[in-house]
């Protein structure tokens, strides 16, 4: 990729996300030469930091052997203390932006990164326009972090607030799972291989299982998490995005417009449940103390009576031509046994087993997204030797020596935003259909207060999540 010229203005520049993800990602782009002399970053937040302090924070957030390079990089960063509601502050911001634009010869390209509470998005977007911080001679793109609303209604309001000032093509809604290498690999697998493409439908696929398990607890995000819960935090965005990539029809081309069009159709085809169906098809639960770890209700700043789910599992359907009748089992939770993101595609059994005395194992295509990227296929082969015994074998389709080359999701997504490629960002309609599905689940849960199950820290979730599959004569492949 060629060198880019851009001024980033990061709202929420002192925050955790900026330090953990954005600065390291920007540094990688700098190290690779995608960002070089013609870039600058303005960090803004309420705290009264100096440029020097900010640059120290930036330097401390990246790890690199070449300290000289880190120092050079940090010189591109400036800080402005900013109250997003105060118009005067935008006047100062404009001057600073112009000064940096000239100093680094940026040419008017601007990326506004909103890494703060969504309730400020509209105000910020409005001020960027009214105070003319958007430029006439370069591009002006807005990158927004999650959560994009807390239900369809609030997401729609948020979208309208931003949409008054920024066109859809300039709004880049982050879902960092779309920046993960193995998630992006779904396209190559599905549409680059006839053996998978032709089998990718309800005639050959028995069921799909998606697990996003985390071993960490709620950590320091109690305030946000209490009002979100696992359904909003992980299902509405990351899981449904993965569902859309797995079930969408083949796009006319590998391009932003064609891919997003098909993803929208897939999400539109999600079967939205009635309250009674939610009860049958969804499980929610909360972690309780075990293995020396605190339960959710004992965590700092969590309501001791909290009804927030830290785990959600469900069976969902995408009712399009290829997937209606294929159950898609999903689950996600905090304080589970391990950190793992994986997808298992379980194919139907061979009709008529000729090896009458032996059971055939299922063909399973597994995409491990994390911690180690891996794609494997489970097949039946003959055991070497006399007689005729079968054995299961795993073919690994993704070479292990490629692991160290996998870039961080944020690095890839920022690089995409720099060139204006929104393929791996979520279109408003995707967000809208996802919320409509999730709202129906949430609505049913809010009506049945008693239905919150529990699971011990370090387990794989509540038994109800296993029963969900057992009721269909299936089990979780990943245990
Ligand atoms: C975020 C959620 O979107 O994704 C967090 O808000 C979660 O609660 C995180 O921990 C998981 O991301 P990753 O990349 O570590 O799997």
């Amino acid at each position: 990729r060629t060198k880019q010229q851009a001024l980033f203005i990061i709202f929420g520049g002192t925050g955790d996300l900026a330090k953990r993800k954005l600065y390291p990602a920007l540094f990688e782009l700098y190290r690779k030469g995608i960002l070089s002399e013609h870039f600058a970053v303005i960090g803004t937040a309420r705290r009264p930091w100096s440029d020097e302090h900010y640059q120290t924070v930036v330097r401390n957030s990246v790890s690199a052997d070449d300290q000289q390079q880190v120092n050079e990089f940090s010189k591109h960063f400036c800080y402005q203390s900013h109250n997003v509601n105060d118009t005067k502050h935008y006047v100062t911001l404009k001057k600073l932006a112009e000064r940096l634009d000239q100093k680094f010869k940026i040419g008017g390209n601007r990326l506004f990164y909103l890494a703060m509470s969504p309730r400020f998005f509209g105000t910020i977007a409005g001020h960027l326009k009214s105070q003319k911080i958007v430029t006439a001679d370069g591009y002006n793109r807005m990158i927004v972090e999650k959560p994009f609303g807390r239900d369809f209604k609030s997401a729609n309001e948020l979208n309208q607030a931003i949409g008054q000032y920024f066109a859809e093509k300039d709004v880049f809604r982050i879902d960092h799972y779309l920046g993960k290498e193995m998630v992006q690999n779904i396209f190559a697998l599905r549409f680059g291989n006839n053996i998978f493409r032709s089998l990718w439908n309800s005639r050959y696929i028995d069921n799909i299982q998606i697990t996003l398990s985390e071993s960490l607890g709620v950590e320091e995000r109690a305030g946000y998490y209490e009002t979100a819960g696992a359904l909003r935090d992980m299902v509405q965005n990351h899981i449904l995005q993965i569902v859309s990539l797995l079930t969408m029809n083949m796009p006319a081309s590998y391009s932003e417009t064609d891919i997003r069009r098909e993803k929208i159709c897939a999400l539109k085809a999600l079967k939205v449940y009635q309250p009674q169906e939610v009860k049958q098809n969804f499980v929610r639960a909360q972690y309780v103390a075990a293995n020396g770890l605190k339960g959710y209700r004992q965590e700092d700043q969590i309501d001791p009576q909290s009804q927030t789910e830290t785990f959600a599992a469900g069976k969902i359907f995408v009712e399009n031509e290829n997937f209606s009748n294929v159950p898609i089992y999903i689950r996600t939770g905090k304080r589970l046994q391990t950190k793992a993101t994986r997808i298992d595609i379980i194919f139907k059994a061979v009709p008529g087993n000729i090896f009458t005395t032996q059971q055939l194992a299922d063909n399973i295509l597994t995409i491990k997204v994390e911690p180690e990227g891996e794609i494997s296929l489970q097949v039946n082969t003959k055991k070497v030797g006399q007689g005729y015994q079968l054995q299961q074998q795993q073919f690994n389709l993704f070479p292990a020596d490629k692991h160290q080359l996998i870039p961080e999701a944020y690095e890839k997504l920022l690089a995409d935003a720099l060139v204006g490629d929104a393929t791996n960002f979520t279109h408003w309609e995707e967000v809208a259909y996802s919320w409509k599905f999730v709202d129906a689940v949430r609505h049913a849960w809010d009506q049945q207060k008693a239905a919150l199950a529990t699971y011990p820290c370090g387990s794989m979730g509540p038994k109800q999540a296993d029963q969900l599959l057992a009721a269909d004569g299936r089990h979780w492949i990943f245990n």
Side-chain angles (χ1 to χ4, degrees), residues 337-366:
Q337 208 173 68
T338 56
K339 167 78 189 167
T341 301
R342 70 179 257 171
I343 302 160
D344 292 289
I345 318 272
I346 297 97
F347 290 89
K348 287 191 171 160
V350 176
N353 174 9
I354 62 165
F355 309 97
T356 39
T357 58
Q358 298 178 61
Q359 264 219 311
L360 289 173
D362 287 329
N363 291 135
I364 301 173
L365 176 69
T366 299

Side-chain angles (χ1 to χ4, degrees), residues 257-318:
T257 325
D258 290 335
I259 289 173
R260 286 169 132 198
R261 180 182 297 130
E262 296 303 341
K263 283 176 70 191
I264 293 168
C265 288
L267 293 166
K268 188 174 178 181
L270 279 167
K271 179 176 161 62
V272 175
Y273 287 137
Q274 298 301 316
Q276 197 48 35
E277 294 172 314
V278 171
K279 217 170 168 181
Q280 285 157 9
N281 294 304
F282 263 87
V283 171
R284 61 178 168 145
Q286 206 177 59
Y287 62 80
V288 292
N291 299 313
L293 295 165
K294 279 189 216 165
Y296 181 70
R297 290 182 181 176
Q298 287 89 54
E299 300 267 22
D300 270 0
Q301 293 175 45
I302 299 291
D303 177 358
Q305 310 286 322
S306 173
Q307 291 291 317
T308 302
E309 81 285 358
T310 60
F311 177 98
K315 170 161 85 165
I316 65 184
F317 289 96
V318 173

